Every structure is written in C-alpha cells, then in structure tokens.
C-alpha cells in the first residue's frame, strides 16, 4: 500500500511476492518492502554454497601448511641437534645455506598462513553481516505484517451499539 492508499477505507490486495530488487546502498528509507522468504533462503543457500567450498579449502590449506610447518620445525630441530653433536664440521657453509633455505620456507609459509587467515576472517565477517541483514529484514517484514493486520482490524466496520 502507498501512503495515500493506507488512509483510504478501501481494501487493496498486497503487491505480488516478487518485489523489485533492494538497493542496499540507497540512503532513503525503504517502505513497504516485501521479501520472498524462498528467495532469501535461496540467496542464503547460494551464498553459502559459493563461499563454503573456499572456506573449506582454506581450512584444508591451513591444516596442510601447519603440518608442513611442524615438519619443517622438526627438521630444523634435528639439524640443530646434528650441528651440536658434531665435534668437527667439515661443511659449515652448506649447513648454514640449508638452514637459510628452511628459514625462508618457514617465513613464506607464515606469510601465506597470515594471508589465508585474513581472507577467512573477512569471509566470516561478510557471512555474519549477511546473516544479520537477513534477520533484520525478516524482523522488519514481520513488524510490517503486524502493522498491516492491526490497520485492517481498525478499518473493519464495527456494529453500532443499540441503546
């Protein structure tokens, strides 16, 4: 209903369930928005199906990187132990070169883990915002429906009292 229709005494059917797309960037308040629950569910399902595989892949990649890091740390620990046990080091330079390679690998793995963590955090924040938006829209829809029911109850003619 538009404002002019809401004030009239005539009953008008609600608009169709398929409403024009919502522009989230509009700053003007939106009135009388009708959201199709099935559409919201499908959009939510689509969003999850779009992002969930990436999140799961990121999780697997993080687990693999963590495992590789533990292996590299263990290898470095073994190398340090070998280094301490050696009384005479014949090729000290090659050991330092190897240690530097492992250190660089660890640094790269750490950078990648940080990047993946940041991406995962952003995706989680986005998913939470979308979930909150969906809940807000559902609440607003329910409040609007209750207002309309109350308005209809008030518009129904009441029988005059006999004196």
């Amino acid at each position: 209903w538009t404002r002019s229709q809401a004030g009239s005494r005539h009953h008008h059917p609600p608009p169709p369930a398929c409403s024009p797309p919502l522009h989230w960037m509009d700053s003007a308040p939106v009135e009388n928005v009708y959201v199709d629950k099935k559409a919201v569910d499908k959009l939510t399902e689509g969003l999850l199906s779009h992002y969930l595989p990436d999140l799961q892949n990121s999780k697997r990649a993080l687990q693999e990187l963590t495992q590789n890091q533990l292996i590299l740390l263990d290898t470095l620990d073994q190398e340090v132990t070998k280094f301490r046990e050696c009384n005479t080091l014949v090729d000290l330079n090659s050991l330092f070169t190897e240690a530097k390679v492992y250190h660089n690998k660890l640094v790269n793995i750490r950078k990648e883990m940080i990047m993946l963590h940041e991406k995962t955090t952003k995706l989680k924040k986005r998913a939470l915002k979308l979930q909150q938006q969906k809940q807000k829209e559902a609440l607003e829809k329910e409040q609007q429906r209750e207002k309309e029911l109350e308005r209809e109850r008030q518009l129904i003619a009441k029988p005059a009292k006999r004196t």
Side-chain angles (χ1 to χ4, degrees):
W1 290 341
T2 62
R3 288 182 186 193
S4 62
Q5 291 170 332
S8 74
R9 298 246 181 236
H10 301 291
H11 175 71
H12 295 283
C18 183
S19 58
L22 298 177
H23 299 288
W24 294 15
M25 298 307 213
D26 289 350
S27 59
V30 179
E31 294 184 358
N32 304 319
V33 176
Y34 297 94
V35 179
D36 184 2
K37 182 173 179 0
K38 287 183 181 178
V40 171
D41 290 344
K42 289 284 186 188
L43 288 170
T44 302
E45 185 179 312
L47 180 75
L48 286 176
S49 70
H50 180 72
Y51 285 110
L52 195 58
D54 287 342
L55 287 171
Q56 290 170 335
N57 289 340
S58 295
K59 181 180 178 182
R60 281 193 292 274
L62 282 172
Q63 289 170 337
E64 185 178 327
L65 287 171
T66 302
Q67 185 63 33
N68 288 342
Q69 188 177 25
L70 290 173
I71 291 169
L72 286 171
L73 286 171
D74 189 46
T75 304
L76 275 177
D77 191 43
Q78 291 172 12
E79 290 299 319
V80 168
T81 303
K82 287 180 191 176
F83 180 82
R84 289 184 179 147
E85 291 173 352
C86 273
N87 291 330
T88 57
L89 298 173
V90 178
D91 195 3
L92 186 60
N93 284 336
S94 68
L95 283 177
F96 279 116
T97 302
E98 192 176 345
K100 185 175 181 180
V101 167
Y102 282 119
H103 174 68
N104 288 337
K105 286 182 179 182
L106 282 172
V107 167
N108 290 335
I109 288 173
R110 185 172 187 274
K111 285 179 185 176
E112 192 171 341
M113 286 177 69
I114 289 171
M115 181 190 68
L116 288 171
H117 175 72
E118 289 172 357
K119 283 183 179 179
T120 304
T121 301
K122 286 178 184 177
L123 285 172
K124 285 180 182 177
K125 284 181 184 178
R126 179 171 166 80
L128 179 63
K129 283 182 183 179
L130 288 169
Q131 182 184 16
Q132 289 172 342
Q133 179 67 26
K134 179 183 171 188
Q135 290 171 346
K136 179 182 174 188
E137 288 173 1
L139 177 64
E140 289 172 353
K141 180 180 176 185
E142 181 61 25
Q143 289 173 344
Q144 181 65 28
R145 190 180 67 78
E146 288 178 13
K147 283 181 185 177
E148 288 177 14
L149 287 174
E150 180 60 31
R151 199 176 299 136
E152 283 182 24
R153 279 195 293 271
Q154 291 177 2
L155 291 176
I156 293 174
K158 296 178 181 156
K161 294 182 182 178
R162 294 184 182 178
T163 55

